[in-house]
Amino acid sequence: MADMIAFCSLNCAICPAYQATQHDDFEARRQTAERWSELFRTEIKPEGIYCDGCQTEGGRLFSYCRVCEIRLCGRERGVENCALCADYPCDKLSRFFEIAPQTKEGLEKIRADR
């Protein structure tokens, strides 16, 4: 499966919500909802696990992705991902790097390759 790089550099193609959606796999949605409910300390239902990737235009998105400030900002600025933004790195990303340091590495690599 080809990479689908989100604005923050996460790979949507390996996200359990994306994979469950693309394979129309209810059991995978159920397991993902269970894991994420524990991890994020909130109730997530299997019916909410639908996603066509962060970059989708009008497609299905996991509930958090709809309100993700990094995604919303990237779409507003019209950048492919945050590595290509004139304001990189911003406060939104810096906070995200604290909980997902691999995203900084991914964005730095994209910047270096451009």
Side-chain angles (χ1 to χ4, degrees):
M1 181 176 290
D3 288 345
M4 289 182 63
I5 305 303
F7 292 99
C8 64
S9 90
L10 288 176
N11 184 354
C12 293
I14 62 171
C15 174
Y18 177 83
Q19 290 182 352
T21 301
Q22 302 313 302
H23 294 106
D24 195 22
D25 186 339
F26 182 81
E27 181 57 22
R29 280 194 283 276
R30 187 195 64 71
Q31 290 174 2
T32 300
E34 186 177 303
R35 279 193 312 270
W36 287 1
S37 290
E38 287 179 28
L39 181 65
F40 300 118
R41 296 184 180 127
T42 190
E43 183 180 2
I44 299 172
K45 297 186 181 294
E47 296 80 13
I49 304 289
Y50 283 96
C51 195
D52 291 320
C54 170
Q55 299 278 359
T56 188
E57 293 285 336
R60 300 166 289 189
L61 286 173
F62 178 63
S63 59
Y64 176 77
C65 298
R66 290 183 211 285
V67 298
C68 172
E69 64 180 351
I70 294 169
R71 178 182 177 275
L72 293 171
C73 182
R75 289 180 61 84
E76 181 179 295
R77 291 172 176 252
V79 294
E80 182 180 338
N81 62 56
C82 295
L84 307 176
C85 182
D87 292 329
Y88 175 85
C90 66
D91 290 339
K92 293 175 190 77
L93 281 174
S94 296
R95 288 189 306 271
F96 190 62
F97 292 159
E98 291 176 17
I99 60 169
Q102 74 277 18
T103 60
K104 182 176 184 179
E105 295 169 18
L107 290 172
E108 293 292 330
K109 181 174 181 346
I110 292 168
R111 286 180 70 82
D113 291 347
R114 294 284 168 142

